[in-house]
Amino acid sequence: MAKKRQILVIGNNTNGCTPEHEKIAYDVGVEIAKSNSVLVTGGLGGIMVAASHGAKDADGLTVGIIPQDDASEANEYCDIVIPTGMGFTRDFLNALSADGVIIIGGGSGTLSEVCASYMSKKPMVAIRNLNGSIEKYIDGYLDHRENVKIIGVNNAKEAVTKIIELIST
């Protein structure tokens, strides 16, 4: 059996997550499930719970890689919980577990995951116009290394279609 694609969705935790962010994340989760890919998140609230909820509603498989050491801290929509007990260091596990990354808004924690993904040369797409920490890097690179361009997209369906295209090439 071939390995399933693993798509990491990152963005605002509960703090800073707007209803617009939640709707987009939910729709991204649905599209990931419909593509027969595995949704990977940080397993907590905000974007993570909304994307996981969408994937579950579409009969998808969800993985939450949480910073705590207690699996009960994960959101209710995680099928598989990986309690790391690593705090923010788990951002690197999130990045390394992904075949590609979808970014929805976000703050400094999201930027940490983006940097880990960038250094690992993971394909990334970001939804435009959500005022996240990544906004100024969309359609460009994080630094002079030009490891991977962060591709801007406009909606959930485009995000999943584009990340699958980037993973496949």
Side-chain angles (χ1 to χ4, degrees), residues 5-149:
R5 256 186 319 266
Q6 295 176 190
I7 300 174
L8 174 65
V9 175
I10 59 176
N12 297 86
N13 198 339
T14 304
N15 183 10
C17 191
T18 68
E20 179 185 18
H21 291 126
E22 289 174 352
K23 170 73 170 109
I24 292 168
Y26 180 91
D27 292 344
V28 164
V30 167
E31 293 297 326
I32 288 171
K34 285 168 49 177
S35 77
N36 198 31
S37 300
V38 176
L39 171 73
V40 180
T41 71
L44 301 176
I47 295 297
M48 298 170 277
V49 69
S52 298
H53 187 178
K56 289 308 303 166
D57 282 355
D59 296 321
L61 179 64
T62 62
V63 177
I65 303 173
I66 64 172
Q68 298 90 345
D69 60 4
D70 180 358
S72 71
E73 298 283 334
N75 74 61
E76 64 188 289
Y77 301 104
C78 292
D79 292 312
I80 299 167
V81 177
I82 301 170
T84 67
M86 298 174 70
F88 296 124
T89 306
R90 77 79 153 79
D91 292 353
F92 288 87
L93 292 178
N94 292 356
L96 290 170
S97 71
D99 296 311
V101 182
I102 296 175
I103 308 158
I104 305 168
S108 60
T110 303
L111 196 53
S112 171
E113 287 175 296
V114 168
C115 288
S117 300
Y118 183 82
M119 293 306 292
S120 300
K121 298 181 180 175
K122 300 292 181 167
M124 289 186 274
V125 300
I127 309 251
R128 292 187 179 97
N129 302 315
L130 293 178
N131 299 318
S133 58
I134 197 65
E135 196 75 33
K136 67 182 176 180
Y137 300 106
I138 293 176
D139 294 320
Y141 301 93
L142 288 182
D143 67 13
H144 65 281
R145 292 179 192 97
E146 298 185 357
N147 284 347
V148 61
K149 191 174 194 176

